Amino acid sequence: MNTRHTSSHNKITAASPSFSELKALLAFSQPLFTLRKKTTLITDGEKFKGLYLVHSGLLKQSQLKKTSENEIITHFFFPGDLIGLDSIFENHYSGSIASIETCGLSLIKFHDIANLPITKESHIQLLRILSKSMRIEHTRLWRTLSQSSDSRLAYFFITMSSKFREQGYSPNSFRLPMSRQEIANYLCMASETVSRIVSRFENEGLLSANGHEYFILNPEGLARIAEKA
Amino acid sequence: MNTRHTSSHNKITAASPSFSELKALLAFSQPLFTLRKKTTLITDGEKFKGLYLVHSGLLKQSQLKKTSENEIITHFFFPGDLIGLDSIFENHYSGSIASIETCGLSLIKFHDIANLPITKESHIQLLRILSKSMRIEHTRLWRTLSQSSDSRLAYFFITMSSKFREQGYSPNSFRLPMSRQEIANYLCMASETVSRIVSRFENEGLLSANGHEYFILNPEGLARIAEKA
DNA sequence: CGGTGCCTTGAACACAATCAAGTATGGTGG
DNA sequence: CCACCATACTTGATTGTGTTCAAGGCACCG
């Protein structure tokens, strides 16, 4: 299985927890394919085909608000993440899903949860993954709702940091391929606000940002901001 | 089964969709018991015992923010709703759950989803209910995040209206036992804001509010406000 | 070099929170 | 049944956070 990330950071450990949890499902995984950057994988309302497992790259799931303006980004998908969990009991996917950078993906093909030819234990296991991911998402939304922009962004960097640590990369030095605008859409704020806060965090010595490369200089300080009202 | 509501509104139809979807589960339902108003049913982090089915009354699920201040209300539970769906794959409930008015409840007792002694079809059915409720909640959170206070509150009244319609009561005249403060905590705004907007809606002839009694006068107008950015 | 898109920074504005009275309402005891 | 108190609700004034509008800078790429 190819878990190599496109960025050049050091790999510390090998296993992504999500992968190990998915052994049973992976038996049904189709061959890995490549999706080049800024390409749509799934259009809004498309028929459910199965789950996609991300091997490398980054994708976003977004909902276009009817009131023309900017998209709302509901998820970023990193290596080890499953795409489509929120549609597993539906006939169609929700929102459109597109790559931000070139991705390696594989499809775990099934039409319906009831048709997934795995054991009862694996079934329960899948449901636990589903439940866990929903709970994480739920927590994130509540945080976004009830916290200040500073807290949200600090929490975002902490989350990203954890993601990279889990994948075996350095948690304090990483590349985020998404634009400021996309981060803003994910956190439900204006891109100017993201810019301003990042600048402030830099002045306060919390982190350093150079284009899409980020260095966390003071994780404790960020955590403190993320936790306060 | 006692599905009578405590308020005095006309009952139009008999069935709550949630009840009919739950036939298999209901076979394991314990006897109905009464919880008097403003009483805690579940304290935060309590061990999972099963799902509670609401027969009458109203309950709230809330998370107390560590930063001392006011609670965040994550759910209101109406007759026909299941309490604990979000904890079905966990060992403990999340948040504390308390009645707002006197409630009739029954417990569907089981320790673990794997131990639920029902057929595969019922199992899948339960999961669909779970999935549906999470999707509804998810949609609600996204709306709350990305809409103005006006839209949120308009949407709240529309949702309440649908709830009552589903239960067979008049969708345009109903009693909401929760306080303004509780509505505010549910929608993540200040109670003063709720007051102001309700007053404005009244002036604009959209609805009429008298204490806890609400009359929707212009559903289309409310829907328009709920839908616009 | 001169573009184009992305990002940053500044200034003005708007929406909702907070602070602060003041007004109903409901429950309790006389 | 009324008087009283506590609580909930309303309304106004002020403040603050974040958006919007606008301009300028930087980098990548022809």
Side-chain angles (χ1 to χ4, degrees):
Chain A
M1 188 191 308
N2 174 19
T3 56
R4 190 131 61 90
H5 195 266
T6 51
S7 84
S8 58
H9 302 305
N10 293 324
K11 197 162 184 181
I12 297 170
T13 66
S16 164
S18 305
F19 281 98
S20 64
E21 286 169 5
L22 280 168
K23 253 178 285 179
L25 267 179
L26 288 176
F28 301 94
S29 179
Q30 308 280 310
L32 190 139
F33 66 94
T34 302
L35 188 72
R36 66 176 189 288
K37 71 164 146 179
K38 302 203 178 185
T39 310
T40 301
L41 175 67
I42 292 167
T43 56
D44 195 9
E46 192 176 319
K47 198 162 179 307
F48 183 75
K49 287 200 287 282
L51 302 171
Y52 290 91
L53 175 62
V54 182
H55 292 258
S56 63
L58 179 72
L59 301 96
K60 65 178 174 183
Q61 178 171 352
S62 59
Q63 216 81 40
L64 281 156
K65 283 177 71 176
K66 24 192 167 298
T67 47
S68 70
E69 347 134 28
N70 49 5
E71 63 181 0
I72 296 176
I73 293 180
T74 56
H75 290 279
F76 287 120
F77 296 104
F78 282 83
D81 289 341
L82 284 170
I83 295 170
L85 279 177
D86 59 347
S87 304
I88 209 164
F89 290 105
E90 312 288 327
N91 290 322
H92 50 81
Y93 295 102
S94 76
S96 73
I97 296 171
S99 60
I100 285 175
E101 55 179 2
T102 305
C103 296
L105 300 165
S106 61
L107 174 62
I108 299 158
K109 200 172 180 176
F110 60 102
H111 302 301
D112 194 294
I113 186 70
N115 290 328
L116 192 59
I118 54 177
T119 63
K120 190 187 175 187
E121 276 63 38
S122 298
H123 197 236
I124 300 268
Q125 176 72 325
L126 173 63
L127 295 174
R128 284 193 194 283
I129 292 169
L130 179 61
S131 160
K132 184 184 162 197
S133 84
M134 291 207 171
R135 189 169 275 239
I136 288 171
E137 174 63 4
H138 207 251
T139 305
R140 187 180 84 77
L141 287 182
W142 274 109
R143 287 192 63 96
T144 310
L145 254 173
S146 58
Q147 311 276 77
S148 69
S149 292
D150 282 37
S151 301
R152 286 190 228 176
L153 197 57
Y155 186 69
F156 173 76
F157 284 120
I158 290 170
T159 308
M160 289 301 114
S161 179
S162 309
K163 274 263 179 198
F164 282 97
R165 182 189 294 108
E166 277 169 23
Q167 286 175 50
Y169 297 102
S170 163
N172 293 324
S173 166
F174 47 81
R175 187 177 165 277
L176 297 179
M178 63 286 250
S179 69
R180 294 279 193 283
Q181 182 64 62
E182 284 166 331
I183 294 174
N185 289 345
Y186 183 61
L187 299 175
C188 288
M189 39 182 165
S191 63
E192 293 94 326
T193 306
V194 174
S195 258
R196 270 183 254 274
I197 299 176
V198 168
S199 299
R200 188 145 41 75
F201 283 178
E202 285 193 272
N203 289 336
E204 291 167 357
L206 293 166
L207 54 82
S208 142
N210 195 329
H212 289 207
E213 294 284 342
Y214 298 85
F215 299 87
I216 308 292
L217 301 174
N218 183 353
E220 295 78 17
L222 273 181
R224 222 173 301 122
I225 291 172
E227 288 316 321
K228 81 160 153 238
Chain B
M1 189 191 305
N2 176 18
T3 56
R4 191 134 60 90
H5 194 264
T6 51
S7 86
S8 58
H9 302 305
N10 291 326
K11 198 161 185 182
I12 297 171
T13 65
S16 165
S18 306
F19 281 98
S20 64
E21 286 169 5
L22 281 169
K23 254 178 286 180
L25 267 179
L26 288 176
F28 301 95
S29 178
Q30 308 280 310
L32 189 138
F33 66 93
T34 301
L35 188 71
R36 67 176 190 290
K37 70 164 147 178
K38 303 203 178 185
T39 310
T40 302
L41 176 66
I42 292 167
T43 55
D44 194 9
E46 193 176 319
K47 198 161 179 309
F48 183 75
K49 289 200 287 281
L51 302 171
Y52 289 90
L53 176 63
V54 182
H55 293 258
S56 63
L58 179 71
L59 301 96
K60 65 178 174 184
Q61 178 171 354
S62 59
Q63 216 79 41
L64 280 155
K65 284 177 70 176
K66 25 195 167 296
T67 48
S68 71
E69 347 134 27
N70 50 3
E71 63 182 359
I72 296 176
I73 294 180
T74 56
H75 291 279
F76 286 120
F77 297 103
F78 282 84
D81 289 341
L82 284 171
I83 295 170
L85 279 177
D86 60 347
S87 305
I88 210 164
F89 289 105
E90 311 287 328
N91 290 322
H92 50 81
Y93 296 101
S94 76
S96 73
I97 296 171
S99 61
I100 285 175
E101 56 179 2
T102 305
C103 296
L105 301 165
S106 61
L107 174 62
I108 298 157
K109 200 172 178 175
F110 60 101
H111 302 302
D112 194 296
I113 186 69
N115 290 328
L116 192 59
I118 54 177
T119 63
K120 191 187 176 189
E121 276 63 40
S122 299
H123 197 235
I124 299 269
Q125 176 72 324
L126 173 63
L127 295 173
R128 286 196 192 282
I129 291 170
L130 180 60
S131 161
K132 185 184 161 197
S133 83
M134 290 205 172
R135 190 170 276 238
I136 289 171
E137 174 63 3
H138 207 253
T139 306
R140 187 180 84 77
L141 288 182
W142 275 109
R143 287 193 64 95
T144 309
L145 256 172
S146 59
Q147 312 275 78
S148 69
S149 293
D150 283 36
S151 301
R152 285 189 230 176
L153 196 57
Y155 186 69
F156 173 76
F157 284 120
I158 290 170
T159 307
M160 290 301 113
S161 181
S162 308
K163 275 263 179 196
F164 282 97
R165 182 189 294 107
E166 278 169 23
Q167 286 175 49
Y169 297 101
S170 164
N172 293 323
S173 165
F174 46 81
R175 186 175 167 279
L176 297 179
M178 63 286 251
S179 68
R180 294 279 193 283
Q181 182 64 62
E182 285 166 330
I183 294 173
N185 289 345
Y186 184 62
L187 299 175
C188 288
M189 39 184 175
S191 63
E192 293 94 324
T193 306
V194 174
S195 257
R196 269 184 254 275
I197 298 175
V198 168
S199 299
R200 188 146 39 77
F201 283 178
E202 284 193 271
N203 289 336
E204 290 166 358
L206 292 166
L207 54 81
S208 141
N210 194 328
H212 290 208
E213 293 283 341
Y214 297 85
F215 299 87
I216 309 292
L217 302 173
N218 183 354
E220 295 78 16
L222 273 182
R224 223 173 299 121
I225 290 172
E227 287 316 321
K228 79 160 157 237

